Amino acid sequence: MTLEDRINIGTLELNNRLVMPPMATWKMNGNGIPQDLIDYYAARAGRIGLIVTEFAYISPEGMTRAGQLSLSRNEDIPEMAKLAAAIHTKGRTKIFAQINHAGAAAGYEVKGSDDIQRIIKAFADAAVRVKKAGFDGVEIHAAHGYLLNQFYSPLTNHRKDAYSADTLEGRTRLSKEVVEAVRAAVGNGFPISIRFGSCDYQEGGSTIEEAGIAARIYETAGADMISVTGGMNGFMVKGVSTPGWFSPLSAEVRKNVGIPVLLTGGIRTRETADELLQRGAADLIGIGRPILKSDAYINEIL
Protein backbone atom coordinates (compact mmCIF):
# COMPACT_ATOMS: atom_id res chain seq x y z
CA MET A 1 0.00 0.00 0.00
CA THR A 2 1.43 3.38 -1.03
CA LEU A 3 0.23 6.96 -1.18
CA GLU A 4 -0.45 6.68 -4.92
CA ASP A 5 -2.78 3.68 -4.64
CA ARG A 6 -6.47 4.21 -5.32
CA ILE A 7 -9.02 3.74 -2.55
CA ASN A 8 -12.81 3.82 -2.16
CA ILE A 9 -14.74 5.78 0.44
CA GLY A 10 -18.10 4.11 0.20
CA THR A 11 -18.81 4.02 -3.53
CA LEU A 12 -16.53 6.99 -4.26
CA GLU A 13 -13.12 6.18 -5.73
CA LEU A 14 -10.16 8.43 -4.92
CA ASN A 15 -7.27 8.71 -7.34
CA ASN A 16 -4.76 8.39 -4.46
CA ARG A 17 -4.58 8.35 -0.66
CA LEU A 18 -3.31 11.89 -0.06
CA VAL A 19 -5.82 14.14 1.71
CA MET A 20 -5.78 17.86 2.41
CA PRO A 21 -7.53 18.03 5.79
CA PRO A 22 -9.74 20.94 6.86
CA MET A 23 -7.81 24.03 7.97
CA ALA A 24 -9.59 27.27 8.82
CA THR A 25 -8.65 30.34 6.79
CA TRP A 26 -11.31 32.72 8.25
CA LYS A 27 -11.68 34.43 4.86
CA MET A 28 -15.46 34.82 4.78
CA ASN A 29 -16.59 38.46 4.85
CA GLY A 30 -20.41 38.32 4.67
CA ASN A 31 -20.56 38.87 0.92
CA GLY A 32 -20.39 35.27 -0.23
CA ILE A 33 -17.29 33.15 -0.69
CA PRO A 34 -14.44 35.46 -1.73
CA GLN A 35 -12.62 34.65 -4.95
CA ASP A 36 -9.29 34.33 -3.18
CA LEU A 37 -10.67 31.48 -1.08
CA ILE A 38 -11.96 29.70 -4.19
CA ASP A 39 -8.59 30.26 -5.86
CA TYR A 40 -6.77 28.90 -2.79
CA TYR A 41 -8.62 25.58 -2.95
CA ALA A 42 -8.53 25.36 -6.75
CA ALA A 43 -4.75 25.78 -6.73
CA ARG A 44 -4.45 22.67 -4.57
CA ALA A 45 -6.77 20.53 -6.69
CA GLY A 46 -5.80 18.29 -9.58
CA ARG A 47 -3.41 15.61 -8.31
CA ILE A 48 -4.42 15.28 -4.65
CA GLY A 49 -6.97 12.55 -3.90
CA LEU A 50 -9.30 14.42 -1.55
CA ILE A 51 -9.74 17.93 -0.20
CA VAL A 52 -11.87 18.47 2.92
CA THR A 53 -12.84 22.12 3.16
CA GLU A 54 -12.61 24.10 6.37
CA PHE A 55 -15.45 23.74 8.84
CA ALA A 56 -18.79 25.37 8.10
CA TYR A 57 -21.30 26.12 10.84
CA ILE A 58 -24.69 24.41 10.68
CA SER A 59 -26.66 27.06 12.59
CA PRO A 60 -25.91 30.63 13.69
CA GLU A 61 -25.46 29.83 17.38
CA GLY A 62 -22.93 27.14 16.43
CA MET A 63 -20.61 29.55 14.63
CA THR A 64 -17.09 29.63 16.07
CA ARG A 65 -16.21 33.18 15.05
CA ALA A 66 -16.49 35.69 12.22
CA GLY A 67 -14.92 34.62 8.94
CA GLN A 68 -16.18 31.03 9.10
CA LEU A 69 -17.92 29.29 6.20
CA SER A 70 -21.68 28.79 6.53
CA LEU A 71 -23.94 25.90 5.57
CA SER A 72 -26.70 27.07 7.86
CA ARG A 73 -29.08 28.37 5.16
CA ASN A 74 -30.28 27.26 1.75
CA GLU A 75 -28.91 30.57 0.47
CA ASP A 76 -25.41 29.18 1.13
CA ILE A 77 -25.83 26.46 -1.52
CA PRO A 78 -24.98 28.57 -4.62
CA GLU A 79 -21.86 29.98 -2.97
CA MET A 80 -20.60 26.57 -1.88
CA ALA A 81 -21.40 25.26 -5.37
CA LYS A 82 -18.86 27.73 -6.79
CA LEU A 83 -16.21 26.24 -4.54
CA ALA A 84 -17.04 22.63 -5.45
CA ALA A 85 -17.11 23.44 -9.16
CA ALA A 86 -13.73 25.19 -9.03
CA ILE A 87 -12.10 22.06 -7.61
CA HIS A 88 -13.86 19.67 -9.98
CA THR A 89 -12.69 21.60 -13.03
CA LYS A 90 -9.06 21.04 -12.03
CA GLY A 91 -9.02 17.26 -12.46
CA ARG A 92 -9.74 14.13 -10.48
CA THR A 93 -9.61 15.58 -6.97
CA LYS A 94 -12.71 14.89 -4.86
CA ILE A 95 -14.05 17.34 -2.31
CA PHE A 96 -15.88 16.93 1.01
CA ALA A 97 -17.34 19.78 3.07
CA GLN A 98 -16.94 19.65 6.84
CA ILE A 99 -19.91 20.70 9.00
CA ASN A 100 -19.72 21.72 12.63
CA HIS A 101 -21.42 23.10 15.71
CA ALA A 102 -19.07 24.77 18.18
CA GLY A 103 -21.27 24.26 21.24
CA ALA A 104 -19.68 25.67 24.38
CA ALA A 105 -16.72 26.88 22.30
CA ALA A 106 -19.17 29.41 20.87
CA GLY A 107 -20.73 30.11 24.25
CA TYR A 108 -23.79 27.96 23.49
CA GLU A 109 -25.00 25.45 26.09
CA VAL A 110 -27.11 22.52 24.92
CA LYS A 111 -29.80 21.86 27.50
CA GLY A 112 -32.99 19.90 26.87
CA SER A 113 -33.91 17.13 24.46
CA ASP A 114 -35.69 19.58 22.14
CA ASP A 115 -32.40 21.43 21.75
CA ILE A 116 -30.57 18.18 20.93
CA GLN A 117 -33.13 17.19 18.30
CA ARG A 118 -32.93 20.61 16.70
CA ILE A 119 -29.12 20.33 16.44
CA ILE A 120 -29.33 16.83 14.95
CA LYS A 121 -31.74 18.15 12.32
CA ALA A 122 -29.43 21.10 11.63
CA PHE A 123 -26.57 18.69 10.88
CA ALA A 124 -28.80 16.71 8.53
CA ASP A 125 -30.06 19.84 6.78
CA ALA A 126 -26.50 21.13 6.33
CA ALA A 127 -25.43 17.78 4.85
CA VAL A 128 -28.24 18.01 2.30
CA ARG A 129 -26.95 21.47 1.34
CA VAL A 130 -23.48 19.97 0.87
CA LYS A 131 -24.90 17.39 -1.51
CA LYS A 132 -26.99 19.96 -3.42
CA ALA A 133 -23.90 22.15 -3.82
CA GLY A 134 -22.19 19.37 -5.75
CA PHE A 135 -19.68 18.13 -3.20
CA ASP A 136 -18.59 14.49 -3.31
CA GLY A 137 -19.19 13.86 0.39
CA VAL A 138 -19.64 15.41 3.83
CA GLU A 139 -17.56 15.30 6.98
CA ILE A 140 -19.06 15.63 10.46
CA HIS A 141 -16.73 17.45 12.87
CA ALA A 142 -16.67 15.59 16.19
CA ALA A 143 -13.26 16.64 17.47
CA HIS A 144 -11.07 19.41 18.93
CA GLY A 145 -13.40 20.39 21.74
CA TYR A 146 -16.43 21.33 19.65
CA LEU A 147 -20.00 20.25 20.41
CA LEU A 148 -19.97 16.57 19.46
CA ASN A 149 -16.57 16.14 21.11
CA GLN A 150 -17.92 17.86 24.23
CA PHE A 151 -20.51 15.10 24.50
CA TYR A 152 -17.91 12.36 23.89
CA SER A 153 -15.30 13.56 26.39
CA PRO A 154 -15.74 12.75 30.10
CA LEU A 155 -13.88 15.99 30.78
CA THR A 156 -16.79 18.08 29.52
CA ASN A 157 -19.84 15.79 29.59
CA HIS A 158 -21.51 16.03 32.98
CA ARG A 159 -24.98 15.01 31.85
CA LYS A 160 -27.09 12.43 33.70
CA ASP A 161 -29.55 11.58 30.92
CA ALA A 162 -29.29 9.21 27.95
CA TYR A 163 -26.19 11.15 26.77
CA SER A 164 -24.36 10.69 30.07
CA ALA A 165 -20.60 10.23 30.23
CA ASP A 166 -21.14 7.34 32.63
CA THR A 167 -21.16 4.94 29.65
CA LEU A 168 -19.52 4.87 26.25
CA GLU A 169 -22.98 4.37 24.78
CA GLY A 170 -24.07 7.67 26.32
CA ARG A 171 -20.96 9.53 25.23
CA THR A 172 -21.25 8.37 21.61
CA ARG A 173 -25.02 8.76 21.40
CA LEU A 174 -25.18 12.28 19.97
CA SER A 175 -22.53 11.67 17.30
CA LYS A 176 -24.21 8.37 16.43
CA GLU A 177 -27.60 10.05 16.08
CA VAL A 178 -26.07 12.79 13.93
CA VAL A 179 -24.48 10.21 11.61
CA GLU A 180 -27.78 8.33 11.38
CA ALA A 181 -29.72 11.51 10.62
CA VAL A 182 -27.21 12.62 7.99
CA ARG A 183 -27.30 9.17 6.36
CA ALA A 184 -31.10 9.23 6.22
CA ALA A 185 -31.03 12.73 4.72
CA VAL A 186 -28.37 12.25 2.01
CA GLY A 187 -29.12 8.64 1.06
CA ASN A 188 -26.93 5.57 0.81
CA GLY A 189 -24.70 6.63 -2.09
CA PHE A 190 -23.27 9.82 -0.57
CA PRO A 191 -20.06 9.36 1.47
CA ILE A 192 -20.00 10.41 5.12
CA SER A 193 -16.78 10.94 7.07
CA ILE A 194 -16.60 11.68 10.77
CA ARG A 195 -13.60 13.55 12.14
CA PHE A 196 -13.37 11.80 15.46
CA GLY A 197 -11.60 13.32 18.46
CA SER A 198 -10.70 9.85 19.58
CA CYS A 199 -8.56 10.55 22.65
CA ASP A 200 -8.10 13.52 25.00
CA TYR A 201 -4.59 12.57 26.16
CA GLN A 202 -5.48 13.90 29.59
CA GLU A 203 -6.18 12.23 32.91
CA GLY A 204 -9.87 11.46 33.18
CA GLY A 205 -10.45 12.00 29.47
CA SER A 206 -11.29 9.70 26.58
CA THR A 207 -8.77 6.93 25.93
CA ILE A 208 -7.16 5.09 23.03
CA GLU A 209 -8.70 1.82 24.24
CA GLU A 210 -12.23 3.24 23.83
CA ALA A 211 -11.56 4.72 20.40
CA GLY A 212 -11.98 1.56 18.35
CA ILE A 213 -15.27 0.67 20.02
CA ALA A 214 -16.64 4.17 19.47
CA ALA A 215 -15.50 4.18 15.83
CA ARG A 216 -17.32 0.90 15.25
CA ILE A 217 -20.50 2.51 16.60
CA TYR A 218 -20.14 5.32 14.04
CA GLU A 219 -19.48 2.84 11.25
CA THR A 220 -22.65 0.95 12.14
CA ALA A 221 -24.56 4.24 12.18
CA GLY A 222 -23.57 4.92 8.57
CA ALA A 223 -20.10 6.48 8.43
CA ASP A 224 -17.91 5.61 5.42
CA MET A 225 -14.63 6.98 6.82
CA ILE A 226 -13.10 7.77 10.20
CA SER A 227 -10.71 10.74 10.29
CA VAL A 228 -8.68 10.23 13.46
CA THR A 229 -7.48 13.22 15.45
CA GLY A 230 -7.30 14.56 18.98
CA GLY A 231 -10.12 15.46 21.31
CA MET A 232 -9.77 18.12 23.97
CA ASN A 233 -6.03 18.25 23.27
CA GLY A 234 -6.68 19.55 19.75
CA PHE A 235 -4.30 18.93 16.84
CA MET A 236 -1.22 18.02 18.88
CA VAL A 237 -0.09 15.46 21.44
CA LYS A 238 1.92 17.06 24.23
CA GLY A 239 5.48 15.79 24.30
CA VAL A 240 5.19 13.86 21.02
CA SER A 241 6.92 15.14 17.90
CA THR A 242 7.27 11.94 15.86
CA PRO A 243 5.51 12.39 12.49
CA GLY A 244 2.08 10.78 12.54
CA TRP A 245 1.69 11.40 16.26
CA PHE A 246 -1.86 10.05 16.27
CA SER A 247 -0.77 6.76 14.62
CA PRO A 248 -1.26 4.55 17.74
CA LEU A 249 -4.79 5.93 17.86
CA SER A 250 -5.53 5.42 14.16
CA ALA A 251 -4.09 1.90 14.28
CA GLU A 252 -6.43 1.03 17.15
CA VAL A 253 -9.42 2.44 15.27
CA ARG A 254 -8.40 0.63 12.08
CA LYS A 255 -8.33 -2.73 13.90
CA ASN A 256 -11.97 -2.26 14.87
CA VAL A 257 -13.62 -1.00 11.69
CA GLY A 258 -13.98 -2.09 8.08
CA ILE A 259 -14.01 1.41 6.58
CA PRO A 260 -11.03 3.62 5.62
CA VAL A 261 -9.18 5.44 8.40
CA LEU A 262 -7.47 8.78 7.78
CA LEU A 263 -4.40 9.80 9.79
CA THR A 264 -3.06 13.35 10.08
CA GLY A 265 -0.49 14.94 12.36
CA GLY A 266 3.05 16.08 11.61
CA ILE A 267 3.54 14.03 8.43
CA ARG A 268 5.78 15.85 5.96
CA THR A 269 7.43 13.37 3.59
CA ARG A 270 6.42 10.70 1.10
CA GLU A 271 8.63 8.19 2.91
CA THR A 272 6.84 8.73 6.22
CA ALA A 273 3.41 8.56 4.56
CA ASP A 274 4.19 5.27 2.81
CA GLU A 275 5.71 3.77 5.95
CA LEU A 276 2.59 4.57 8.00
CA LEU A 277 0.35 3.06 5.31
CA GLN A 278 2.47 -0.06 4.98
CA ARG A 279 2.51 -0.81 8.68
CA GLY A 280 -1.25 -0.50 8.91
CA ALA A 281 -1.51 2.74 10.85
CA ALA A 282 -4.06 4.13 8.38
CA ASP A 283 -5.59 3.84 4.91
CA LEU A 284 -5.23 7.52 3.95
CA ILE A 285 -2.75 10.22 4.94
CA GLY A 286 -3.62 13.83 5.63
CA ILE A 287 -0.96 16.50 5.24
CA GLY A 288 -2.04 19.93 6.38
CA ARG A 289 0.31 22.82 7.01
CA PRO A 290 2.80 22.20 4.16
CA ILE A 291 -0.12 22.16 1.69
CA LEU A 292 -1.68 25.18 3.41
CA LYS A 293 1.56 27.10 2.88
CA SER A 294 2.21 26.04 -0.72
CA ASP A 295 0.27 24.16 -3.41
CA ALA A 296 3.65 23.25 -4.97
CA TYR A 297 4.23 20.85 -2.07
CA ILE A 298 1.71 18.43 -3.58
CA ASN A 299 4.01 17.89 -6.55
CA GLU A 300 6.88 17.13 -4.18
CA ILE A 301 5.05 14.34 -2.37
CA LEU A 302 3.15 12.69 -5.25
Side-chain angles (χ1 to χ4, degrees):
M1 187 192 308
T2 72
L3 203 60
E4 291 189 346
D5 290 341
R6 294 175 180 270
I7 187 171
N8 276 49
I9 302 174
T11 59
L12 180 72
E13 184 181 62
L14 302 186
N15 190 48
N16 57 61
R17 296 171 186 244
L18 177 61
V19 178
M20 176 181 167
M23 295 171 285
T25 63
W26 309 112
K27 289 182 178 290
M28 291 295 290
N29 55 23
N31 297 314
I33 297 181
Q35 189 60 45
D36 63 339
L37 182 60
I38 293 174
D39 293 343
Y40 157 79
Y41 280 109
R44 286 150 180 80
R47 295 195 67 198
I48 195 168
L50 175 66
I51 290 174
V52 184
T53 57
E54 58 202 88
F55 61 179
Y57 59 91
I58 60 168
S59 55
E61 84 285 344
M63 177 175 146
T64 306
R65 72 174 204 191
Q68 187 180 359
L69 284 177
S70 171
L71 276 160
S72 64
R73 312 168 306 154
N74 289 338
E75 290 81 2
D76 296 322
I77 296 172
E79 291 298 307
M80 292 296 282
K82 295 177 187 177
L83 180 54
I87 291 176
H88 286 150
T89 58
K90 292 293 293 289
R92 293 170 290 183
T93 298
K94 305 302 182 184
I95 178 172
F96 286 12
Q98 189 185 79
I99 54 177
N100 182 55
H101 191 297
Y108 184 83
E109 183 181 357
V110 179
K111 296 180 179 179
S113 59
D114 289 347
D115 211 9
I116 288 174
Q117 293 307 311
R118 185 181 58 79
I119 288 169
I120 292 171
K121 185 178 186 301
F123 269 104
D125 290 345
V128 170
R129 295 182 190 113
V130 171
K131 185 175 182 180
K132 287 182 176 179
F135 284 74
D136 300 297
V138 64
E139 180 166 274
I140 298 162
H141 198 347
H144 304 152
Y146 294 116
L147 178 65
L148 300 185
N149 194 192
Q150 291 160 20
F151 272 67
Y152 181 70
S153 174
L155 297 173
T156 49
N157 183 346
H158 306 298
R159 303 179 72 94
K160 295 301 177 184
D161 56 8
Y163 300 89
S164 167
D166 293 341
T167 66
L168 190 60
E169 179 186 11
R171 288 163 47 201
T172 57
R173 183 181 297 275
L174 181 56
S175 292
K176 174 177 103 44
E177 290 177 345
V178 167
V179 174
E180 289 172 339
V182 168
R183 173 56 68 209
V186 300
N188 290 329
F190 195 68
I192 299 172
S193 169
I194 180 167
R195 192 161 207 206
F196 176 31
S198 319
C199 181
D200 291 328
Y201 295 93
Q202 298 178 47
E203 184 177 354
S206 58
T207 68
I208 291 178
E209 292 74 22
E210 298 167 328
I213 302 169
R216 192 161 61 241
I217 290 171
Y218 302 146
E219 177 185 20
T220 302
D224 297 300
M225 183 175 84
I226 307 288
S227 176
V228 171
T229 186
M232 292 298 156
N233 59 301
F235 302 95
M236 308 287 290
V237 180
K238 187 177 181 179
V240 178
S241 59
T242 306
W245 45 68
F246 291 119
S247 59
L249 193 52
S250 61
E252 178 65 23
V253 168
R254 191 170 182 265
K255 286 191 302 186
N256 283 273
V257 298
I259 55 178
V261 174
L262 168 63
L263 169 64
T264 61
I267 304 163
R268 297 289 185 271
T269 68
R270 172 65 184 270
E271 292 74 21
T272 300
D274 282 347
E275 188 273 330
L276 288 163
L277 291 171
Q278 288 161 10
R279 68 178 166 92
D283 301 287
L284 302 106
I285 298 294
I287 297 181
R289 295 196 181 278
I291 295 175
L292 174 70
K293 292 177 181 178
S294 172
D295 58 277
Y297 181 83
I298 298 167
N299 293 324
E300 295 178 17
I301 199 167
L302 282 177

